[in-house]
Amino acid sequence: MIFINISKAFLLTITALSVLAQEEGSTLPDATAVGAAPPPRKIQRPANCNKPDVIQPSAPFSVISGYEAIVVSNTMKNPRSVTVDEANHFLVLAAGDNSIYSIREDLCGNMSQQLLVNGSKLGGSILQDSLVAFRDHLYVATGDAVYKFQYSPGQHSEIQNAPEIVLKNIGEKQLPMTIDPRGRLFVPKGFSQAAAGGSQVRQYDLMDVPAGGFDYGNNGEALSAAGNNGAGPLAYDTQGRIWGTNIAADGSENLSLFDANASANTTVPVGSQTRGIAFYRGLGCSVGDADSLGTTEGFPCRWTDHAFLATRNTGVVHVPFSDLAHAPSGAPETIFGQTDISDCSTGTCISPISIAFDQMGRIVTASDTTNEVWMVRRVYNPDAGKILTDKANASDAASEAKDEAKEAAAEEAKAPKEDATVPEDSEN
């Protein structure tokens, strides 16, 4: 009996996840939801919390059903890059004052902001579009070099030590670099070199940086040729492969796998002006549907290894990926952005330029034109788990009732029929 109860509970769990995948409109096999890591429990806010201050957005915005977006800061001038450290602090490079800031969220959801790096430590070099937190360092890019600062994850005070050179003689601005888990630095270069056929992506081993730093052209390794007009931002997926946007001669933009052996299905058109890429790795992922909402604030578990793009004016775009082929599998969908973008060409609109996921599965993105840092998250419902379980139980009960009715009908069909003839009345 104990074995039967355990087996039934397991089947109910599988049924719940299967129903969930179907109700969310998943284009992926049901195994995607079943095979995902169990979502973590939502951390409950302390009972004595005051409601966090609401920062009014610069313009009306839209977000897909079941999600919400909030402004977490609007006091940094020209935020150009965001990253998240291991302590779940949001780190922002602000070009307006050539500095780096830390945003820390407390248990009540309140945000505090602190200066981390004063750009004067770079001796007049201007910070560009790249900031990456990797292990115990912050990596930043200028127009001609990459530097690193000693940093402890969770640090919320100004860094006092001087930076060290990592890569020099790049000769190009706006370098959307990335670093993979193995410690390889990837730097795209091509917008200024495209006409001469010099566009490419190069990689460098951060575990073996020579004294004085790498020289861009004489060290490292060419990963792949970029598009005809150069390469845009880069990101690595859960397989550790590097993806990026490249721009063809006709101005069209694609998200592509940067691999000499990449097949044709590893390229997908993504519109134009992609300025940041992040792959969701499933941290803090949630399950839920339109009725239950989310078990956490994180994005769906079934969206693990999907790509998300920060695009100028358009907003944050979701690019579905197949969990089996690890390649684009559907049309891109805008999940967050300014509601009315008709005047963006002449006015100031919410315009994501960088994107990252935090430890709770939420998106953090910066809008340089409006000086805002945004968070996009799923709407959390503390009763979501119960709603999903009740729905699975109801589905299971309905299925059992249907099977029992079918079996009863079959048994009735097999049973001999009684003679229903009424005997004649002998007196009549």
Side-chain angles (χ1 to χ4, degrees):
M1 182 62 69
I2 294 177
F3 174 76
I4 293 175
N5 289 338
I6 292 175
S7 298
K8 184 174 181 180
F10 175 75
L11 290 174
L12 285 175
T13 301
I14 297 299
T15 302
L17 290 173
S18 177
V19 170
L20 172 63
Q22 295 169 6
E23 289 180 351
E24 285 194 322
S26 175
T27 58
L28 305 179
D30 291 346
T32 301
V34 175
R41 293 177 61 87
K42 170 73 178 184
I43 298 176
Q44 297 297 325
R45 304 294 188 193
N48 60 347
C49 279
N50 294 321
K51 191 173 182 179
D53 293 335
V54 176
I55 301 176
Q56 294 300 320
S58 59
F61 63 90
S62 300
V63 66
I64 59 175
S65 178
Y67 294 77
E68 60 186 1
I70 62 170
V71 180
V72 300
S73 174
N74 63 357
T75 60
M76 285 177 278
K77 188 176 180 181
N78 194 11
R80 303 286 296 179
S81 184
V82 297
T83 189
V84 179
D85 71 9
E86 295 174 3
N88 211 42
H89 285 203
F90 315 145
L91 310 179
V92 185
L93 184 157
D97 60 359
N98 208 38
S99 297
I100 299 172
Y101 293 87
S102 167
I103 299 176
R104 179 172 61 189
E105 180 183 18
D106 66 17
L107 291 178
C108 293
N110 297 295
M111 306 288 177
S112 64
Q113 185 172 302
Q114 170 66 42
L115 176 71
L116 274 184
V117 174
N118 186 319
S120 62
K121 291 184 179 298
L122 293 171
S125 296
I126 305 300
L127 295 174
Q128 298 293 335
D129 288 359
S130 285
L131 170 65
V132 180
F134 181 71
R135 297 183 182 174
D136 55 354
H137 285 91
L138 292 183
Y139 291 80
V140 297
T142 67
D144 194 49
V146 174
Y147 295 90
K148 67 178 180 180
F149 287 90
Q150 188 77 33
Y151 172 77
S152 298
Q155 181 174 338
H156 204 54
S157 58
E158 186 173 352
I159 294 174
Q160 300 298 329
N161 56 289
E164 300 175 49
I165 187 74
V166 174
L167 179 63
K168 58 190 176 183
N169 297 327
I170 303 173
E172 183 147 14
K173 297 180 179 180
Q174 298 180 336
L175 298 170
M177 65 181 179
T178 193
I179 301 172
D180 74 3
R182 295 170 57 185
R184 295 179 298 177
L185 169 68
F186 295 87
V187 181
K189 180 182 177 182
F191 292 109
S192 62
Q193 279 75 30
S199 60
Q200 61 180 302
V201 175
R202 297 187 68 82
Q203 61 180 343
Y204 305 86
D205 184 2
L206 293 179
M207 304 298 103
D208 189 27
V209 180
F214 292 110
D215 181 85
Y216 184 88
N218 296 322
N219 302 126
E221 177 184 352
L223 175 67
S224 172
N228 293 339
N229 289 324
L234 304 171
Y236 63 90
D237 62 14
T238 57
Q239 309 299 308
R241 303 176 303 171
I242 296 296
W243 295 74
T245 53
N246 55 60
I247 305 170
D250 61 0
S252 63
E253 188 174 303
N254 297 308
L255 175 65
S256 301
L257 176 63
F258 280 76
D259 188 324
N261 299 317
S263 59
N265 69 341
T266 54
T267 293
V268 59
V270 291
S272 63
Q273 301 190 64
T274 297
R275 307 201 292 172
I277 307 171
F279 280 85
Y280 183 40
R281 298 182 182 89
L283 288 175
C285 71
S286 65
V287 292
D289 58 23
D291 298 322
S292 69
L293 301 177
T295 54
T296 74
E297 292 179 352
F299 275 63
C301 296
R302 64 184 180 85
W303 285 2
T304 297
D305 209 22
H306 290 206
F308 293 80
L309 317 179
T311 60
R312 183 186 298 275
N313 298 330
T314 300
V316 174
V317 176
H318 168 216
V319 181
F321 267 57
S322 164
D323 66 323
L324 299 178
H326 303 295
S329 62
E333 171 194 24
T334 300
I335 62 172
F336 160 77
Q338 183 163 319
T339 303
D340 183 4
I341 60 174
S342 58
D343 293 331
C344 288
S345 59
T346 57
T348 299
C349 288
I350 299 170
S351 187
I353 188 173
S354 180
I355 185 170
F357 280 94
D358 76 347
Q359 306 294 329
M360 297 178 67
R362 308 169 300 187
I363 281 178
V364 182
T365 185
S367 170
D368 58 333
T369 54
T370 58
N371 298 328
E372 293 169 315
V373 178
W374 287 81
M375 176 187 290
V376 183
R377 62 195 181 192
R378 197 168 194 176
V379 177
Y380 164 67
N381 179 8
D383 297 322
K386 182 179 183 304
I387 293 172
L388 294 173
T389 300
D390 290 346
K391 183 175 291 189
N393 288 340
S395 176
D396 183 70
S399 179
E400 287 183 359
K402 183 178 180 181
D403 291 341
E404 289 173 358
K406 185 177 180 180
E407 291 175 2
E411 290 296 327
E412 184 179 351
K414 293 179 182 179
K417 297 187 180 296
E418 297 181 1
D419 188 358
T421 303
V422 179
E424 295 183 0
D425 191 335
S426 57
E427 294 182 356
N428 294 328

